Amino acid sequence: MTGGSRLFGCIEAGGTKFFVGIVDRDRVVLDRARFATTTPEEILGTVEHWLVEAQQKFGALSALGIASFGPVELNRDAETWGFITDTPKPGWRGTNFGQRFQTKFGLPVGFDTDVNGAALAEARWGAGRDQTVSAYITIGTGIGGGVIVNGAPHHGLSHPEMGHFRPPRHVLDQDFSGTCPFHRDCYEGLASGPAIEARWGVSLSELPSDHAAHEIIAWYLGHLTVALQGILEPGRIIMGGGVMETPDLLNRVHRAATLLGGGYFRGKPDEIIVASELGDRMGLLAGLALAMDASGET
Ligand code: ZN
């Protein structure tokens, strides 16, 4: 038993893997598990079962936090709050996720996108702490981002879609049509992992360091960070995701953003554009931040 410390069930739902864990308010992970993402019915049933057994083992949970791949419905007044909405992932469109867990467990459920959850966790415990406004961007199989303003994720009509508007084309990248099924050459269609592989056949980190791809991708990401500076002037722009693990990419983004921003913004790119600090703890801590907020305990 845990001596009365409050426990939270934390879920990170990804397109290929689900992580679930029991975490206390001091971020100590008591138990965790990983499952391959299969059908909604199968994986959600598996996670429910794991949480039921965990409650028997560790005691009652205070709340659940779910950081999910999207798009998702975040409007608490909507009939479909907590559903996965228009995902292209086969079988998942219209999946009841957050409401299902709320009904099953009778607990407060914090439900948001994986990137908003990550942004919240970084703002609370990682690279965005002590900032009034911080942004988190992930560059991986897609490009997505979240913004935390005064401790809460920004929601408009829905969650932001920071990867889905168009940068100007790099002079050496005029012919590639882009991979986004909605916009072709938006940021995600030009600079995500699949867009990189579609052009050059391998990941960015597998290309030699003098390959033009490095400067092209950094230039797009520099544009994206400068756009965020112009709109938000965030105190930190935190960059995560598999593509950002490419050696030297963050430095290249600093140089691109410095050039493209023209020295105009308050935030200096090499100070405010930073790597994620939470690393592989991100997923469960995203769930923890959402769960603690849902329970009223921050
Ligand atoms: Zn797009």
Side-chain angles (χ1 to χ4, degrees):
M1 295 303 288
T2 56
S5 75
R6 301 189 67 182
L7 299 178
F8 301 89
C10 305
I11 300 168
E12 181 193 25
T16 57
K17 288 187 288 285
F18 267 57
F19 294 87
V20 57
I22 304 298
V23 188
D24 74 14
R25 55 185 295 174
D26 298 319
R27 286 168 281 150
V28 175
V29 178
L30 282 76
D31 199 2
R32 63 190 300 171
R34 181 174 82 169
F35 302 103
T37 305
T38 53
T39 63
E41 195 50 44
E42 187 175 13
I43 183 65
L44 298 183
T46 298
V47 171
E48 281 177 353
H49 182 71
W50 190 92
L51 285 168
V52 167
E53 290 203 326
Q55 286 205 105
Q56 289 165 357
K57 189 170 166 188
F58 296 106
L61 301 176
S62 297
L64 302 178
I66 300 172
S68 176
F69 71 90
V72 295
E73 179 57 64
L74 298 179
N75 179 359
R76 287 261 173 189
D77 296 329
E79 277 184 23
T80 54
W81 169 78
F83 280 46
I84 292 174
T85 56
D86 293 328
T87 177
K89 190 171 176 54
W92 281 83
R93 182 183 295 240
T95 294
N96 178 356
F97 190 172
Q99 277 191 50
R100 171 181 170 145
F101 277 71
Q102 192 171 60
T103 303
K104 167 84 180 176
F105 290 92
L107 292 170
V109 172
F111 182 84
D112 213 318
T113 62
D114 43 9
V115 285
N116 274 348
L120 189 61
E122 287 284 356
R124 196 153 296 163
W125 302 302
R129 62 188 174 275
D130 302 327
Q131 302 296 327
T132 306
V133 178
S134 60
Y136 173 82
I137 310 174
T138 181
I139 320 292
T141 54
I143 293 182
V147 181
I148 305 302
V149 181
N150 294 322
H154 167 76
H155 296 162
L157 294 173
S158 184
H159 44 83
E161 292 285 4
M162 291 188 190
H164 291 280
F165 60 105
R166 289 182 180 82
R169 297 296 288 263
H170 190 280
V171 65
L172 298 177
D173 190 40
Q174 299 289 316
D175 298 330
F176 178 62
S177 61
T179 59
C180 177
F182 296 94
H183 316 108
R184 304 307 307 181
D185 56 348
C186 61
Y187 284 96
E188 179 168 305
L190 290 174
S192 63
I196 292 166
E197 297 213 9
R199 293 222 236 356
W200 297 295
V202 293
S203 69
L204 196 57
S205 60
E206 291 173 292
L207 290 166
S209 61
D210 59 352
H211 192 286
H214 292 280
E215 289 300 322
I216 292 170
I217 297 304
W219 191 80
Y220 289 135
L221 299 180
H223 265 286
L224 182 52
T225 56
V226 167
L228 288 175
Q229 286 194 275
I231 295 166
L232 297 167
E233 277 280 17
R236 292 287 183 276
I237 299 173
I238 303 153
M239 304 193 77
V243 173
M244 287 311 300
E245 291 171 16
T246 307
D248 208 35
L249 181 56
L250 190 63
N251 291 328
R252 293 178 196 261
V253 174
H254 287 157
R255 290 197 289 273
T258 300
L259 191 69
L260 293 164
Y264 186 74
F265 303 110
R266 178 69 67 91
K268 301 302 169 216
D270 59 350
E271 294 171 5
I272 70 160
I273 302 170
V274 297
S276 158
E277 284 186 11
L278 299 181
D280 59 8
R281 297 193 305 151
M282 176 83 81
L284 289 183
L285 294 185
L288 178 64
L290 296 168
M292 287 177 73
D293 284 1
S295 75
E297 177 165 354
T298 53

PDB file of all heavy atoms in Angstrom, residues 163-164 180 182-183 186, ligand 1:
ATOM      1  N   GLY A 163       0.733  21.564 -37.388  1.00  0.00           N
ATOM      2  CA  GLY A 163       1.480  21.024 -38.528  1.00  0.00           C
ATOM      3  C   GLY A 163       0.797  21.240 -39.861  1.00  0.00           C
ATOM      4  O   GLY A 163       1.348  20.870 -40.895  1.00  0.00           O
ATOM      5  N   HIS A 164      -0.401  21.846 -39.843  1.00  0.00           N
ATOM      6  CA  HIS A 164      -1.211  21.810 -41.057  1.00  0.00           C
ATOM      7  C   HIS A 164      -1.455  23.168 -41.703  1.00  0.00           C
ATOM      8  O   HIS A 164      -2.561  23.476 -42.113  1.00  0.00           O
ATOM      9  CB  HIS A 164      -2.524  21.081 -40.782  1.00  0.00           C
ATOM     10  CG  HIS A 164      -2.312  19.615 -40.541  1.00  0.00           C
ATOM     11  ND1 HIS A 164      -2.127  18.711 -41.569  1.00  0.00           N
ATOM     12  CD2 HIS A 164      -2.170  18.917 -39.386  1.00  0.00           C
ATOM     13  CE1 HIS A 164      -1.920  17.507 -41.053  1.00  0.00           C
ATOM     14  NE2 HIS A 164      -1.943  17.610 -39.729  1.00  0.00           N
ATOM     15  N   CYS A 180       0.829  15.174 -47.032  1.00  0.00           N
ATOM     16  CA  CYS A 180      -0.418  15.328 -46.268  1.00  0.00           C
ATOM     17  C   CYS A 180      -1.621  15.074 -47.170  1.00  0.00           C
ATOM     18  O   CYS A 180      -1.744  15.687 -48.223  1.00  0.00           O
ATOM     19  CB  CYS A 180      -0.515  16.724 -45.654  1.00  0.00           C
ATOM     20  SG  CYS A 180      -2.080  16.952 -44.770  1.00  0.00           S
ATOM     21  N   PHE A 182      -4.553  16.014 -46.783  1.00  0.00           N
ATOM     22  CA  PHE A 182      -5.457  17.161 -46.792  1.00  0.00           C
ATOM     23  C   PHE A 182      -4.867  18.368 -47.526  1.00  0.00           C
ATOM     24  O   PHE A 182      -5.573  19.106 -48.194  1.00  0.00           O
ATOM     25  CB  PHE A 182      -5.820  17.575 -45.357  1.00  0.00           C
ATOM     26  CG  PHE A 182      -6.579  16.526 -44.619  1.00  0.00           C
ATOM     27  CD1 PHE A 182      -5.919  15.621 -43.807  1.00  0.00           C
ATOM     28  CD2 PHE A 182      -7.955  16.416 -44.747  1.00  0.00           C
ATOM     29  CE1 PHE A 182      -6.609  14.627 -43.132  1.00  0.00           C
ATOM     30  CE2 PHE A 182      -8.664  15.437 -44.073  1.00  0.00           C
ATOM     31  CZ  PHE A 182      -7.985  14.532 -43.265  1.00  0.00           C
ATOM     32  N   HIS A 183      -3.563  18.610 -47.331  1.00  0.00           N
ATOM     33  CA  HIS A 183      -2.955  19.847 -47.848  1.00  0.00           C
ATOM     34  C   HIS A 183      -1.752  19.616 -48.726  1.00  0.00           C
ATOM     35  O   HIS A 183      -1.174  20.567 -49.216  1.00  0.00           O
ATOM     36  CB  HIS A 183      -2.511  20.740 -46.672  1.00  0.00           C
ATOM     37  CG  HIS A 183      -3.505  20.831 -45.580  1.00  0.00           C
ATOM     38  ND1 HIS A 183      -3.334  20.222 -44.350  1.00  0.00           N
ATOM     39  CD2 HIS A 183      -4.719  21.436 -45.541  1.00  0.00           C
ATOM     40  CE1 HIS A 183      -4.394  20.447 -43.595  1.00  0.00           C
ATOM     41  NE2 HIS A 183      -5.244  21.167 -44.282  1.00  0.00           N
ATOM     42  N   CYS A 186       1.828  21.002 -46.499  1.00  0.00           N
ATOM     43  CA  CYS A 186       1.871  21.690 -45.212  1.00  0.00           C
ATOM     44  C   CYS A 186       3.144  21.256 -44.473  1.00  0.00           C
ATOM     45  O   CYS A 186       3.921  20.449 -44.980  1.00  0.00           O
ATOM     46  CB  CYS A 186       0.618  21.371 -44.398  1.00  0.00           C
ATOM     47  SG  CYS A 186       0.435  19.619 -44.021  1.00  0.00           S
TER      48      CYS A 186
HETATM   49 ZN    ZN B   1      -1.753  19.006 -43.643  1.00  0.00          ZN
END
